[in-house]
Amino acid sequence: MADFFFHTTLGQILLIVLESLAVLVPLLLGVAYLTLAERKVMAAMQLRKGPNVNGPFGVLQAFADAIKMLTKETVIPAGANRMLFLFAPFLTFSLAMIAWAVIPTGNGLAIANINVGILYLLAISSLGVYGMLIAGWASNSKYAFLGGLRSAAQMVSYEVSIGLVIVCVLLAVGSLNLNDIVLAQRHVWFCLPMFPMFIVFFISALAETNRAPFDLPEGESELVAGFFVEYSALAFGLFFLGEYANMFLMSGMVSILFLGGWLPPLGIAPFTWIPGPLWLIAKILFCLFVFIWVRATFPRYRYDQLMRLGWKVFLPFSLAWMVLTAGFLMVTGLLPGGVG
Amino acid sequence: MMTQIVFYVFAAVLVLSATMVVCARNPVHSVLFLILAFFNAAGLFLIAGAEFLAMTLVIVYVGAVAVLFLFVVMMLDVNFTRMREGVQRYAPIGGLVGGVLLVELVMAFARWRSASNIDQIAHLVPSSPTRTNTAALGDVIYTHYIFLFQSCALVLLVAMIGAIVLTLRDRPSGRRQNIDRQHDRVPHDSLEMLQVPLGAGVAAQGGFLRPHESYDVAAVPGTYGTEAWRVREATEETQAVLVVTKPAESTKGKGDA
């Protein structure tokens, strides 16, 4: 059996397909239930009940929404660029999926354990902006276009600070491999020694996924629904799922970079009984809860405040922290990989 | 075998999308084809084993440079019919430039030789199976060619500062938000309580309530809303002023509210 999977071409292809399914099926289920969880958690925070009609505690609400979305008509506005209009949601959705190829769920347990894993994640997340920009432009609508432009400017700005935060982590790890990044946190999770960077990264992740309080690209009160205002039915559904899958991805990145990935909090008995993937899922769910918590708590930023935060606060701060980290590691001789 | 097939797929799509960059009628489509070309170039890098370069190509060119391209091109107000008129006129010139470039490239590549001191340079990058090419590149750039690398960075820095200097316009009349000043502000700075007799109005006492320091010629009683005030409003940044007589006109200090 093992011989078939590891030594024949067909077996290897089959193995990759099975591995992908093992990641994507839980992910998509998670995305479906994240929409429900968001409504339930927000409802609890606002002293409401949230969806409670479909199934016990409303657990079937996600499927009711999906069926409703599938049975609706796809409306393509007049003057829209048809090809690009339909291409944009597929792009957003598939980008949110393919990034999961490198996320390790256990020691060496990733579909692709590549040496430049973190760069791959950075590259994929920086592509997310195209889905929105193309959607905004192809819709031939001024609200959608404004939403697209806003999201482009916002995501490019916050990518800079995300990149610098990642550099800080990489300085301490000495490798671009996600597996090595997690293993480097065996003794202490990076969220403790790099607590400020952890916060900067989390806030940048909020901005990168267009979540409240940075949901300006889709600010309902001013742009109706931003870049996907013209979308309906399945195309809208794909955007929606893509956004939530991106939240999962960003939570996964936070977990791997700062919360020790699949590692248990302490390497002693009761914690080590729980398998690694469950720890990773627990950490991702915690991050997602904070995403929702933030949404229920903070009012939306104004656009100039958003840009000020990104460029005038986070950029200099993370740059200074990077220099500090490098200097500290150099002085204490903790710099990994040996200094020649 | 597999590698060769993948190489030809990437190369074919690369050449095709590069052609479409030039041929597409819609400039936005051109930029999108350019992005596709970048992608396939990254794929070629991957096949060559240069994983770091491939990822950097995607992050820098696709993730940042092309976004700005697209940003600008989308905002352009392009007249497609007028653009097509120009094609006939400029085609010969464009073809000529392209031809010259092609000939030059062919001549350059036909005489391509490796440097004579290749053996001396090669040891700078000791290759071993465990060494990632990120580490190898870092070694070469930051250890052996650090000064060249730093000069490149300086050139970019100068370009960046130059772009900012050229495009930064300081509009004195604009109302800019100064967050530190807003945080430092206390009620005493901008408000002054007056005792106003019943039925008398505040015009006789200064028109509106504000600190003594901001009293000046333009703000004598009864001049509010006249030309003199407007001139002052347009040229100077003033503290917030609370108008008690005309609340509807309290447009001052919007950003400080």
Side-chain angles (χ1 to χ4, degrees):
Chain A
M1 194 65 183
D3 199 50
F4 168 70
F5 277 130
F6 289 114
H7 297 294
T8 62
T9 315
L10 182 72
Q12 279 176 344
I13 292 172
L14 212 61
L15 187 67
I16 290 177
V17 170
L18 287 176
E19 281 174 345
S20 310
L21 283 179
V23 172
L24 289 186
V25 171
L27 176 66
L28 287 175
L29 270 180
V31 167
Y33 275 96
L34 180 61
T35 59
L36 178 69
E38 173 160 42
R39 290 164 74 178
K40 276 293 199 189
V41 170
M42 293 249 300
M45 284 171 179
Q46 295 161 355
L47 297 180
R48 296 183 285 115
K49 277 205 158 97
N52 60 354
V53 176
N54 298 306
F57 306 107
V59 287
L60 298 178
Q61 182 66 41
F63 296 99
D65 287 343
I67 292 168
K68 188 190 84 173
M69 214 114 74
L70 287 174
T71 50
K72 288 206 168 189
E73 182 193 354
T74 305
V75 180
I76 297 178
N81 192 318
R82 238 184 131 80
M83 274 278 286
L84 290 179
F85 185 80
L86 293 175
F87 172 65
F90 284 99
L91 183 71
T92 305
F93 184 70
S94 46
L95 281 177
M97 296 289 121
I98 60 170
W100 282 86
V102 294
I103 302 277
T105 51
N107 198 352
L109 216 62
I111 298 175
N113 188 7
I114 56 174
N115 278 330
V116 285
I118 192 72
L119 287 182
Y120 175 80
L121 279 185
L122 204 60
I124 296 297
S125 70
S126 69
L127 292 181
V129 66
Y130 283 108
M132 294 165 197
L133 210 49
I134 292 172
W137 182 78
S139 298
N140 195 28
S141 149
K142 53 178 170 270
Y143 295 113
F145 188 51
L146 277 175
L149 290 183
R150 278 186 176 191
S151 76
Q154 177 176 334
M155 291 180 77
V156 170
S157 307
Y158 279 85
E159 241 153 50
V160 179
S161 57
I162 282 194
L164 284 173
V165 172
I166 288 177
V167 170
C168 290
V169 173
L170 294 183
L171 279 172
V173 176
S175 165
L176 298 175
N177 189 320
L178 288 172
N179 211 45
D180 294 349
I181 290 176
V182 175
L183 285 179
Q185 303 179 57
R186 264 166 319 196
H187 306 300
V188 58
W189 293 357
F190 285 145
C191 66
L192 290 178
M194 296 191 193
F195 186 71
M197 285 299 98
F198 173 52
I199 299 299
V200 167
F201 189 86
F202 189 81
I203 297 175
S204 302
L206 287 177
E208 194 75 0
T209 48
N210 297 322
R211 288 284 299 179
F214 306 110
D215 54 346
L216 289 143
E218 45 200 80
E220 298 90 346
S221 48
E222 34 196 298
L223 290 181
V224 198
F227 56 86
F228 54 58
V229 64
E230 303 290 349
Y231 282 87
S232 60
L234 194 60
F236 171 77
L238 281 178
F239 260 127
F240 204 69
L241 293 181
E243 296 233 309
Y244 279 85
N246 263 329
M247 281 168 63
F248 264 96
L249 180 66
M250 277 296 166
S251 305
M253 278 176 79
V254 173
S255 311
I256 283 170
L257 289 174
F258 291 101
L259 298 176
W262 71 81
L263 293 172
L266 294 167
I268 51 173
F271 297 112
T272 47
W273 291 343
I274 302 172
L278 288 187
W279 277 118
L280 183 69
I281 291 172
K283 285 164 190 174
I284 289 177
L285 291 183
F286 171 73
C287 293
L288 288 171
F289 175 76
V290 181
F291 267 69
I292 298 168
W293 189 8
V294 165
R295 179 175 170 195
T297 309
F298 293 109
R300 183 178 297 140
Y301 261 56
R302 216 171 54 207
Y303 203 74
D304 60 320
Q305 292 170 330
L306 172 96
M307 284 296 162
R308 178 178 172 272
L309 184 70
W311 289 106
K312 293 189 183 171
V313 180
F314 280 178
L315 181 61
F317 183 61
S318 46
L319 203 58
W321 192 271
M322 188 184 81
V323 174
L324 198 73
T325 310
F328 178 79
L329 291 172
M330 194 74 192
V331 167
T332 53
L334 291 169
L335 205 62
V339 185
Chain B
M1 182 59 200
M2 196 64 190
T3 319
Q4 280 172 345
I5 295 173
V6 176
F7 170 80
Y8 282 114
V9 170
F10 277 135
V13 179
L14 174 60
V15 172
L16 214 74
S17 50
T19 318
M20 287 304 288
V21 173
V22 188
C23 299
R25 293 253 164 114
N26 190 331
V28 173
H29 292 177
S30 290
V31 178
L32 293 176
F33 276 115
L34 184 66
I35 293 162
L36 188 62
F38 283 147
F39 252 111
N40 286 284
L44 289 180
F45 273 130
L46 268 185
I47 292 174
E51 49 195 21
F52 182 78
L53 279 183
M55 292 303 157
T56 319
L57 185 72
V58 175
I59 292 173
V60 174
Y61 284 94
V62 182
V65 174
V67 170
L68 297 181
F69 265 22
L70 200 60
F71 210 97
V72 172
V73 170
M74 278 181 177
M75 303 238 263
L76 287 179
D77 189 20
V78 185
N79 188 339
F80 294 112
T81 45
R82 260 192 62 196
M83 253 177 59
R84 269 170 233 161
E85 281 169 14
V87 171
Q88 299 272 318
R89 237 174 71 208
Y90 294 114
I93 305 170
L96 190 72
V97 172
V100 169
L101 276 177
L102 183 70
V103 170
E104 280 177 355
L105 274 179
V106 168
M107 280 165 66
F109 277 100
R111 292 166 176 276
W112 192 282
R113 298 279 182 279
S114 297
S116 53
N117 60 345
I118 187 90
D119 298 327
Q120 291 147 35
I121 304 171
H123 78 276
L124 297 179
V125 197
S127 66
S128 79
T130 53
R131 208 173 151 78
T132 63
N133 60 45
T134 315
L137 267 178
D139 241 15
V140 175
I141 294 174
Y142 291 103
T143 321
H144 301 291
Y145 292 103
I146 179 67
F147 293 116
L148 285 176
F149 181 71
Q150 294 274 4
S151 353
C152 294
L154 274 180
V155 170
L156 286 177
L157 182 69
V158 168
M160 192 175 83
I161 294 173
I164 293 172
V165 168
L166 286 177
T167 52
L168 185 70
R169 277 180 301 157
D170 193 24
R171 275 177 246 129
S173 62
R175 291 213 177 99
R176 191 168 287 177
Q177 184 183 27
N178 186 339
I179 291 188
D180 293 330
R181 217 190 67 208
Q182 287 179 10
H183 288 169
D184 290 343
R185 220 158 69 97
V186 289
H188 174 76
D189 292 341
S190 47
L191 279 181
E192 185 187 337
M193 300 311 290
L194 291 184
Q195 293 293 327
V196 183
L198 265 183
V202 287
Q205 293 193 40
F208 25 80
L209 306 179
R210 56 207 185 79
H212 280 290
E213 304 89 71
S214 65
Y215 278 43
D216 62 24
V217 188
V220 292
T223 60
Y224 182 76
T226 61
E227 211 49 47
W229 179 260
R230 276 203 203 94
V231 169
R232 184 168 177 274
E233 187 179 291
T235 51
E236 256 176 71
E237 198 186 16
T238 51
Q239 288 280 343
V241 173
L242 180 68
V243 180
V244 289
T245 45
K246 301 172 180 171
E249 288 181 26
S250 64
T251 53
K252 277 284 1 154
K254 237 181 208 163
D256 293 290

